[in-house]
Amino acid sequence: MKKFYVTTPIYYPNDIPHIGHFYTTLAADILARWHKLKGEDVFFLTGTDEHGKKIETAAQKKGEEPKEFVDGLIPKFIEAWKKLNIDYSRFIRTTEAAHIDTVRFMYDKSYKKGDIYKGFYEGLYCTGCEAYYQEKELETGCCPVHKTKVEILKEESYFFKLSAYRDRLLEHYEKNKSFVRPESRYNEILFRIKEGLLDFSISRNSFKWGIELPFDKEHIAYVWFDALTNYLSGVNYLTNKEQKYWPADLHLVGKDILWFHAVIWPAMLMSAEIPLPGQIFAHGWWTFNKEKISKSRGKVINVDELIAIAGVDAARYFLFAETTFGQDGDFSTEGLLRRRDADLANELGNLVSRALTMCEKYCAGKVPVYKEENCALGAGEIKEAAISAVARCCQCMEEIDFSGALNGIWSFIKLLNQYVEKTAPWKLAKNNEKEKLDTVIHVMLEGIRLTAVLLGPFIPETSEKILGQLGLEAQEKISFENKAKWGQLQAGTPIKKGKILFPKDLTTKNG
Ligand code: ME8
């Protein structure tokens, strides 16, 4: 059985999660569901990054111990993932003992290899990023990500010999042209590696909240060295000798943290002689009404606020239909409602409602018989379109092009709506053309079935509802090939018309 191991960044639990965190985690959920649909053995890892100065400072501000502080916030993440219908395999916390052991193992391996040496560091530090900056990287003296003042940090520190991995990294990039996606990001990172790599500080001794190094108790692990290792501890790399998931197939990250994943992480793995992940995909940045998402300026949207706008599936759909994965996007309530009304309620919802109503009215609520000879009505064209919609969806999902997949599905939905208008089943009913009428309704229902299958990973609740309305409940055991094949609906299957799928007023949503 093919396996698929996908990860999200582990988020800093210094505050409740917001739409940026939802985005990456939803992307991983969609991919995990897609690969499950294809019959693969999927492992989907997410979690929280709980050590470091940023967490220590946030805890101090609340007058709490760091562990107590993060323990209070973790349920917020878990609740949010549940509300958004995110079905992960494991939620890892970097304060877990097994993770701590894995971090120590990584330090130990590199130390013994001679890739870690002691030195003294003085540099410009941004606590928001938990990273040092060079003067030339700053924007008017401020961190380019957080736009806040950096501080001068001076400390005795252990260094990792990143510079020694330049050539091996270049070779890996040359041999694996899709190691980083989108392609523009691959080129950008390759260019920076070619420019040269600097050794970097991987320990701290100016504060306490972190993992003690195995070879020096006075120092704690650098939070990024600690955090990146979660991808190994998440699949019990240290204790599970028959490792079936590592190497990860895909690390999904925001563009802000690509450098850590595309350069530092592979070098750490090379140093520890562990195989590298298959691909790192960096997605773009969401703004909120064109402004940076920022708690201090009140520009955040939490999970309840997001769901209150138009429900979970509308939000899931909007985030992935609105922008190409990899590009930046702007979130607005109006934008979400516009897509809910146009795409989900009008195009998908009405199609489903019309097809089921007609099936009840003209076919006694049972899937009618499909007669091949009635293809003159355009059913052949629909069948062809269905086959290409499936192929396009598979191709796009392989390339992690969510909006491309959704566009393909929506072209098919539009075609089905045109088919209803063109064939006008109500006229066929009036003229008593029963066989033609049956074929048209069968084609509509089959088109809807296939649409629901392809939409499953994106809008799982709606997909399940539609399949349930078509009398198709237990679908797990059916292979993707069969589900995605045209012509699977059995004549005679009773349908169950339910409530409207995307009501404008959420309080009436009960189907
Ligand atoms: O960086 N738009 O954690 P973090 C899109 N702990 N995505 C966004 C976003 C936005 N406006 N804001 C946040 C860390 N994200 C480290 C990671 S991994 C070993 C350690 C998403 O809480 C995006 O995925 O700051 C980004 O990379 C991540 O949240 C940063 O989360």
Side-chain angles (χ1 to χ4, degrees), residues 126-138:
C126 169
T127 306
C129 296
E130 293 278 19
Y132 280 106
Y133 277 98
Q134 291 176 51
E135 189 90 52
K136 65 174 185 191
E137 294 171 313
L138 302 180

Side-chain angles (χ1 to χ4, degrees), residues 251-286:
H251 292 315
L252 286 175
V253 297
K255 63 182 182 181
D256 54 324
I257 57 173
L258 179 59
W259 180 255
F260 293 101
H261 285 80
V263 177
I264 290 175
W265 178 227
M268 283 169 65
L269 290 167
M270 283 172 179
S271 173
E273 291 164 17
I274 295 173
L276 304 198
Q279 187 175 72
I280 300 136
F281 196 111
H283 66 67
W285 212 239
W286 281 90

Side-chain angles (χ1 to χ4, degrees), residues 299-318:
K299 299 282 176 212
V300 283
I301 179 155
N302 70 32
V303 68
D304 293 327
E305 287 163 343
L306 177 66
I307 295 174
I309 301 171
V312 176
D313 277 355
R316 287 179 67 118
Y317 172 74
F318 171 80

